[in-house]
Amino acid sequence: MNNAVSGFSKLSKEQKIEWIANEYFSNPAEATALLKNYWNSDAALQKLHDEFIENTITNFYLPLGVAPNFIINGKNYTIPMAIEESSVVAAAAKSAKFWATRGGFKATVLNTEKIGQVHFFYTGNVKKLEDFFIQIKSKLFSETESITKNMQKRGGGILNIELKNQTQKLPNYFQLHATFETKDSMGANFINSCLEQFSKTFKAEAQLYESFSAEEKNIQIVMSILSNYVPNCIVRAEVSCPIADLAEKKIENPREFAEKIIRAVRIAEIEPFRAVTHNKGIMNGVDAVVLATGNDFRAVEAGVHAYASRNGHYTSLSHATIENDVFTFWIEIPLALGTVGGLTSLHPLVKFSLEMLEKPSAQELMQIVAVAGLAQNFAALRSLTTTGIQEGHMKMHLNNILNQFQATVEERQTIKNHFKDHVVSHSAAVDFIKNLRGNR
Ligand code: MEV
């Protein structure tokens, strides 16, 4: 079958669905009904979602859960989490509760600098380029004034612009490397607009610069774009308590428990195969809050993993120590987040999430997100070094299987009772349900 189509974007939503249903499905009516079943009955709300992207055909649901009882810098939060993976929200809530009685989480924003670059090629005398840059640098600021005016009112703007010579890595390659403060917005549009203006000003001024030869005047701009690597936009989150205070029902020997966590973290610090999974667990918490608050989780993911490799090998984002019988567990991650602009005032559930967090500033949100990551990591390490991860996972998985079989309330109770003291596996659960039904 030739599935190529031209002018698809110009078709109406109904026509797009019709084309897809006829082209790819043996039962087009069923495929169409499925897509329409996920439409919102409120036409205005549906239109809002349709217009977030192009070629929208329906909505793709993710659950929005909440993890209550997080104490961060003495304040109580209920944290929204949008995620499909079972156990993540439960683990966050469990960590929150555990640390709430042990001083809570402490979080600090270390810095908030964002970065953008104009990448260009220049052939000629490098000293002349450096002199030219010094001469026109103030123009790069003045010609972006209409873009930066509002940001400056909010206390942000362009912090600095540097000329970087990258010719050691790639012949004739230079950059305008700019740093920004974008306050409560993530700042992508602001930064990209500034950069595009820099490139125009830079190119135009080069053509007028008398010391340049014809070749030197001909600066080739390749692209102007923010960097999602933000190693100077860092937040630190931490938990700490005397080792003895780690004791609870399931932690009978708190010193042994603390030492196991320290060892697990050391392994992630030196062993990339483990570090990736360790950090993936952290990102379970980070991404879920980033998504629920309408931020760009792809940007966060890319930046965080680059940061985890900043010393030349991929390593753990979290660390732990025992000093003077005090256990401390912390994380430092780069997070470029916004609480204004973008989806934050458009998506009703994002607005809801931010309101539930009591309308945080971007810095406060950085703290909340880092704490969610640390909480998740603590819960994962706790399970991994004690009961193993499968116990909790399979209990949640059992729920999914029960849903798949549309188990009745009565069946659920019988099955849950049975698996209280039996190991859950997919096949054991399925067999048990089938037997139960067969025996009736
Ligand atoms: C699963 O989504 C995350 C974990 O694998 C994280 C970890 O191993 O630390 C449990």
Side-chain angles (χ1 to χ4, degrees), residues 48 64 80 291-294 339 342-360:
L48 178 78
L64 176 66
L291 206 54
T293 56
T339 54
L343 271 195
T344 55
S345 55
L346 286 179
H347 195 304
L349 288 175
V350 168
K351 276 206 272 187
F352 171 92
S353 295
L354 288 170
E355 203 160 325
M356 192 172 72
L357 291 172
E358 298 181 37
K359 302 196 173 150

Side-chain angles (χ1 to χ4, degrees), residues 85 88 274 277-278 280-281 284 377 380-381 384 389 393:
E85 184 176 331
V88 170
R274 173 57 202 152
T277 316
H278 177 97
K280 187 276 182 189
N284 278 344
N377 192 213
L381 295 182
L384 286 167
I389 207 77
H393 266 200

Side-chain angles (χ1 to χ4, degrees), residues 327-347:
F327 171 76
T328 305
F329 181 51
W330 75 96
I331 187 172
E332 281 185 13
I333 44 171
L335 286 173
L337 301 178
T339 54
V340 299
L343 271 195
T344 55
S345 55
L346 286 179
H347 195 304

